[in-house]
Amino acid sequence: MEITKKIFEFADELGPEKIVHLYEPRTRMKAIVVIDNVAAGPAIGGVRMALDVTTTEVRRLARAMTYKNIMAGLPHGGGKSGIIADPKTVNKEQVVRTFARGIKSLEEYIPGPDMGTDEASMAYIYDEIARAVGLPRELGGIPLDEMGATGYGVAECAAVAKEYINLDLNGARLTIEGFGNVGKPTARYLAEKGVMLVAASDSKGTIYNPKGLKVEELIRIKDATGSVVNYKDGEVLKTSDLLMISTDIFVPAARPDVISEANSDVLDAKLVIEGANIPITENAEKMLHDRGILVVPDFVANAGGVITASVEYHGGTEAQAFERIKSTIAKNTKEILDKVYSEKTYPRDTALGVARQRVLRAMKYREWM
Ligand code: NAD
């Protein structure tokens, strides 16, 4: 397809407003920035560093941020960027600083951490252009992974969603796919509500004990040895076996598209809270819903990280971030699920409709910049 036609193929009523390809010939740094929509305010979105990152992927992620940010009531639009490089082998500081200089003039885009970048990367960007979120504590950052911001929000989401399916959290069984920055705090905060973790997986395998796993001990083992499979008091299974374990609450917190039409029928759960981004294909979500399994979509449930980033950007504290995550995610979960049950719609369709309307309303107040 001719390139101009291809670039505008996905332009719709919301955006994307800018797609910028950066190339710095001296170091050969290549990057893509997509600013999807800034009606609610400057776009916040992560910087992904990977060898295989594409314009299409960045564009989809930027749109997801538009929805997530407006859903969370943040004064921010959505954007995303991708640096085409291998985070394990490049001189990260040099690449990130070059990228930062390249986006200096894109003042309506505020970068944050994503796959392949971290707090230090954000500190370099901040040093170059005085604009970044997810900063180290020394620069006024709120350590969102340390506080378990996203997992905290996932747990608060479950606490509201359970009302709609008559699930008692006390003693409810929990399985978590991906015991990382999202999965670990999800287990911790749900355990505080009486939930029993029966299985957790990572890329090396699954640990399972129907009588319950000790969450703090499992976190300690994962951090010390790199995998949940080294936890003693449980059965070690393959990573993919997790999906077949009967549970009450399932939290996917690893990778996109792990559940599809091909395998959704094996899942035996009452409630799914999406910790990861797009862990279930749209069709599979519908199939689960038709089987009576309630699925709360990613951009409603996993906004804890970006809410914290926004609180940080506006000079707030960690305590304010916790408060904001709880109130926002509880309110949104209730609003969406009230509609789902009264209008008999699918959760994602409902949530997308609500988010889209909010963006369109914000657009009425703004001239294009
Ligand atoms: P992470 O790297 O800290 O943890 C991911 C975990 O998943 C690791 O333990 C890894 O071993 C495991 N894993 C990898 N492949 C797996 C597989 N096939 N099956 C089971 N486990 C597997 O990552 P994270 O920050 O926890 O992010 C997880 C997901 O949540 C990503 O999709 C991310 O985009 C999304 N997300 C993260 C945040 C955040 O605040 N960190 C916020 C919103 C969404």
Side-chain angles (χ1 to χ4, degrees):
M1 197 188 299
E2 202 280 318
I3 192 159
T4 314
K5 203 165 171 198
K6 198 167 166 60
I7 284 172
F8 290 110
E9 191 183 4
F10 297 102
D12 62 18
E13 59 187 343
L14 304 186
E17 297 184 10
K18 285 185 191 172
I19 300 179
V20 180
H21 290 99
L22 298 170
Y23 176 56
E24 204 279 314
R26 203 172 42 90
T27 57
R28 311 217 155 195
M29 190 279 309
K30 295 193 196 82
I32 307 139
V33 184
V34 177
I35 297 171
D36 183 54
N37 186 292
V38 296
I44 288 190
V47 182
R48 179 162 292 193
M49 189 187 290
L51 266 180
D52 58 356
V53 65
T54 64
T55 304
T56 304
E57 178 185 0
V58 177
R59 179 187 56 73
R60 282 179 67 199
L61 293 165
R63 174 58 54 87
M65 290 311 295
T66 300
Y67 288 142
K68 195 183 289 193
N69 292 347
I70 199 98
M71 197 74 200
L74 306 176
H76 293 288
K80 196 88 183 184
S81 51
I83 302 176
I84 304 170
D86 181 350
K88 293 203 180 81
T89 57
V90 289
N91 177 338
K92 224 182 214 181
E93 176 169 355
Q94 186 201 50
V95 173
V96 166
R97 282 186 183 276
T98 309
F99 167 77
R101 285 178 224 129
I103 63 165
K104 187 167 185 174
S105 61
L106 298 174
E107 286 175 7
E108 70 276 44
Y109 172 57
I110 303 161
D114 195 68
M115 273 165 50
T117 61
D118 53 15
E119 282 180 2
S121 312
M122 295 309 115
Y124 301 139
I125 295 178
Y126 191 80
D127 187 40
E128 295 286 339
I129 64 171
R131 214 173 61 231
V133 288
L135 295 166
R137 210 189 275 275
E138 294 75 14
L139 302 186
I142 305 177
L144 63 95
D145 283 336
E146 200 180 300
M147 68 185 261
T150 302
Y152 178 70
V154 168
E156 290 305 320
C157 179
V160 174
K162 65 137 170 79
E163 300 290 338
Y164 294 80
I165 50 168
N166 291 325
L167 176 69
D168 185 357
L169 287 191
N170 207 9
R173 296 162 303 163
L174 167 69
T175 55
I176 296 187
E177 185 207 49
F179 209 59
N181 286 325
V182 176
K184 288 185 286 183
T186 296
R188 176 178 278 155
Y189 291 119
L190 278 175
E192 284 176 7
K193 297 182 189 297
V195 170
M196 179 172 70
L197 179 69
V198 293
S201 68
D202 59 30
S203 53
K204 302 211 175 78
T206 295
I207 188 81
Y208 172 54
N209 186 338
K211 296 204 181 95
L213 302 160
K214 292 193 180 82
V215 171
E216 292 308 323
E217 174 67 1
L218 186 62
I219 292 175
R220 195 186 63 73
I221 298 281
K222 168 78 180 168
D223 290 345
T225 70
S227 177
V228 294
V229 299
N230 299 312
Y231 179 90
K232 290 283 168 277
D233 192 16
E235 190 183 344
V236 176
L237 305 168
K238 284 193 299 201
T239 296
S240 55
D241 289 344
L242 181 96
L243 291 186
M244 287 178 258
I245 295 170
S246 174
T247 187
D248 296 306
I249 308 171
F250 169 63
V251 176
R255 308 187 69 82
D257 300 332
V258 284
I259 298 180
S260 66
E261 294 89 321
N263 64 355
S264 74
D265 59 326
V266 301
L267 193 69
D268 173 21
K270 297 188 175 80
L271 177 62
V272 178
I273 311 278
E274 296 184 345
N277 294 321
I278 46 166
I280 308 181
T281 64
E282 262 187 58
N283 265 343
E285 278 183 352
K286 288 186 172 151
M287 287 162 73
L288 293 175
H289 190 82
D290 292 342
R291 279 175 52 210
I293 301 174
L294 176 58
V295 181
V296 184
D298 44 14
F299 70 96
V300 177
N302 75 15
V306 78
I307 292 172
T308 304
S310 171
V311 169
E312 173 189 306
Y313 184 74
H314 296 280
T317 63
E318 193 170 321
Q320 286 166 334
F322 273 119
E323 186 46 47
R324 182 95 194 242
I325 295 169
K326 181 174 177 160
S327 58
T328 306
I329 293 188
K331 181 172 146 294
N332 284 335
T333 306
K334 186 168 182 323
E335 180 179 340
I336 300 304
L337 296 187
D338 278 349
K339 265 174 151 336
V340 166
Y341 285 97
S342 65
E343 296 170 12
K344 309 229 175 311
T345 49
Y346 291 110
R348 183 169 295 271
D349 291 349
T350 308
L352 283 175
V354 168
R356 221 180 105 261
Q357 285 310 319
R358 289 187 192 173
V359 179
L360 290 171
R361 281 203 299 276
M363 287 169 76
K364 284 196 182 146
Y365 302 112
R366 304 289 285 253
E367 281 295 341
W368 197 69
M369 292 177 266

